[in-house]
């Protein structure tokens, strides 16, 4: 397990702000936190080097890309052995429909978040890309009606700011 990094209140405030908008300038961050822009730059650089900040992502609307139906697929792989698991994960990650793959505990081995065009596309994906492979013993599908982003990820004990209408 990765070692946690000690964060002070300035670091926590920076992380809250950057998780709301990663494009915020160092000048704007500094003004909101009450420190110099160079301090913000130094802090963010340190947070990147220490692995707290992993990168910046662009979020897209799947529906506007023709993928208006999202689902969670619970997948059971049998036998659950490394020589089957690695290729399975790489194959699923390479699918354009796959959004996220989780290796989980319990009766299922994987939870795969997918975005597809419609029910026929979902059926094709499950039959042609999942259950057509011998190692896939079972796939259970759950449609996603709606999803919400939650507050910023903070270390245990850190007090999150209350979500506002703009951030939620």
């Amino acid at each position: 397990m990765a070692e946690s990094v000690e964060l002070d209140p300035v670091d926590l405030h920076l992380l809250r702000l950057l998780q709301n908008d990663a494009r915020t300038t160092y000048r704007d961050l500094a003004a909101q936190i009450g420190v110099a822009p160079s301090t913000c730059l130094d802090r963010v650089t340190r947070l990147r080097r220490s692995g707290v900040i992993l990168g910046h992502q662009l979020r897209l609307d799947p529906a506007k890309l023709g993928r208006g139906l999202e689902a969670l697929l619970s997948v059971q792989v049998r036998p659950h052995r490394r020589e089957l698991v690695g290729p399975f994960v790489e194959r699923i990650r390479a699918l354009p429909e796959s959004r996220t793959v989780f290796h989980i505990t319990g009766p299922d081995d994987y939870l795969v978040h997918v975005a597809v065009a419609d029910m026929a596309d979902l059926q094709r994906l499950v039959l042609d890309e999942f259950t057509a492979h011998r190692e896939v013993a079972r796939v259970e599908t759950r449609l996603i009606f709606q999803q919400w982003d939650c507050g910023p990820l903070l270390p245990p004990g850190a007090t999150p700011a209350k979500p506002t209408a703009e951030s939620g």
Side-chain angles (χ1 to χ4, degrees):
M1 182 187 289
E3 212 174 290
S4 64
V5 174
E6 196 163 323
L7 304 171
D8 67 17
V10 172
D11 294 329
L12 293 173
H13 200 167
L14 267 170
L15 292 173
R16 280 188 194 98
L17 293 171
L18 288 171
Q19 285 182 80
N20 283 333
D21 184 359
R23 297 179 309 159
T24 306
T25 66
Y26 292 118
R27 178 178 288 150
D28 290 343
L29 288 170
Q32 291 180 60
I33 296 172
V35 298
S38 60
T39 300
C40 284
L41 174 61
D42 292 344
R43 295 288 186 118
V44 171
T45 300
R46 183 178 54 79
L47 291 168
R48 281 192 186 115
R49 283 192 185 132
S50 66
V52 173
I53 296 176
L54 298 175
H56 307 280
Q57 294 180 338
L58 180 67
R59 291 181 49 200
L60 304 175
D61 183 341
K64 296 211 168 129
L65 296 174
R67 296 182 182 278
L69 182 65
E70 294 185 72
L72 296 173
L73 306 179
S74 299
V75 183
Q76 190 178 73
V77 174
R78 292 294 175 261
H80 193 113
R81 293 195 317 247
R82 190 171 301 279
E83 62 269 12
L84 293 175
V85 164
F88 168 79
V89 170
E90 290 312 309
R91 185 169 34 81
I92 298 309
R93 288 184 66 211
L95 295 172
E97 298 88 353
S98 295
R99 306 279 317 270
T100 310
V101 180
F102 299 95
H103 191 187
I104 60 175
T105 63
D108 298 311
D109 302 308
Y110 295 92
L111 186 62
V112 184
H113 178 192
V114 298
V116 295
D118 52 30
M119 288 298 282
D121 196 25
L122 179 60
Q123 181 181 26
R124 177 208 51 81
L125 179 70
V126 170
L127 294 176
D128 295 348
E129 301 296 344
F130 284 84
T131 60
H133 294 274
R134 207 175 296 157
E135 72 272 15
V136 175
R138 185 172 65 80
V139 175
E140 196 172 296
T141 305
R142 290 174 179 81
L143 298 180
I144 298 173
F145 292 135
Q146 194 171 359
Q147 73 182 61
W148 296 266
D149 288 333
C150 298
L153 180 64
L154 299 171
T159 308
K162 298 232 185 221
T164 64
E166 292 110 25
S167 67

